[in-house]
Amino acid sequence: MEDKKCLCRNGDIKVVACSGASNVGQIANQSAIELAKDNVAGFFCLAGVGAHIKGMVKSAKEAGLMIAIDGCPVQCAAKTLQHAEIEPAIQIVVTELGIEKSPDLVHDEKACIKVLEKVKEELAA
Ligand code: SF4
């Protein structure tokens, strides 16, 4: 298959989310969207890294700072990056912020705010 160029926003700080099929996966996804909207980080396509799309793995490796937001301790986003030899500088696990995992796919706004605050706190550290 042709190695198409990704249209992810370029930026020195990039964020990937597990986007898993659970409330916490969707909270991870929505939080990455909010970080992009706030111009904190460019939302990067994790699936492209998982698919070993050459140009996308290269772009991810070239990020000045990579943030991985995972829904739960399985940490699919961080592990996908690590498989491609990319070590996230900041790793957030939504359930570690006191948010319980459930299959309902709802991204609670208050939970997203908690994630955003945590990311900003880690960026400032
Ligand atoms: S980290 Fe957890 S919520 Fe996210 S995709 Fe993996 S198993 Fe699903």
Side-chain angles (χ1 to χ4, degrees):
M1 196 186 290
E2 200 185 334
D3 201 4
K4 300 252 188 208
K5 208 173 172 206
C6 178
L7 296 176
C8 298
R9 280 190 45 213
N10 285 325
D12 207 33
I13 302 177
K14 289 182 168 45
V15 59
V16 296
C18 77
S19 308
S22 62
N23 65 330
V24 287
Q26 293 309 302
I27 290 164
N29 190 63
Q30 187 60 33
S31 299
I33 291 171
E34 298 298 333
L35 288 168
K37 280 187 185 167
D38 291 350
N39 291 315
V40 174
F43 193 2
F44 195 81
C45 298
L46 181 63
V49 177
H52 299 282
I53 307 297
K54 238 177 21 193
M56 294 174 71
V57 172
K58 186 174 177 284
S59 295
K61 281 186 174 168
E62 285 170 356
L65 189 147
M66 180 63 83
I67 304 165
I69 308 179
D70 274 304
C72 78
V74 181
Q75 295 186 57
C76 300
K79 285 176 188 164
T80 301
L81 291 174
Q82 286 158 350
H83 272 294
E85 296 176 340
I86 300 161
E87 197 54 51
I90 295 175
Q91 280 185 252
I92 308 289
V93 177
V94 176
T95 52
E96 286 179 3
L97 303 176
I99 300 148
E100 207 177 317
K101 187 177 182 181
S102 79
D104 65 30
L105 303 179
V106 177
H107 65 265
D108 176 69
E109 217 171 289
K110 281 184 192 158
C112 291
I113 290 168
K114 266 192 185 179
V115 175
L116 298 180
E117 282 172 355
K118 181 70 179 163
V119 170
K120 288 174 185 171
E121 185 190 307
E122 296 273 334
L123 281 171

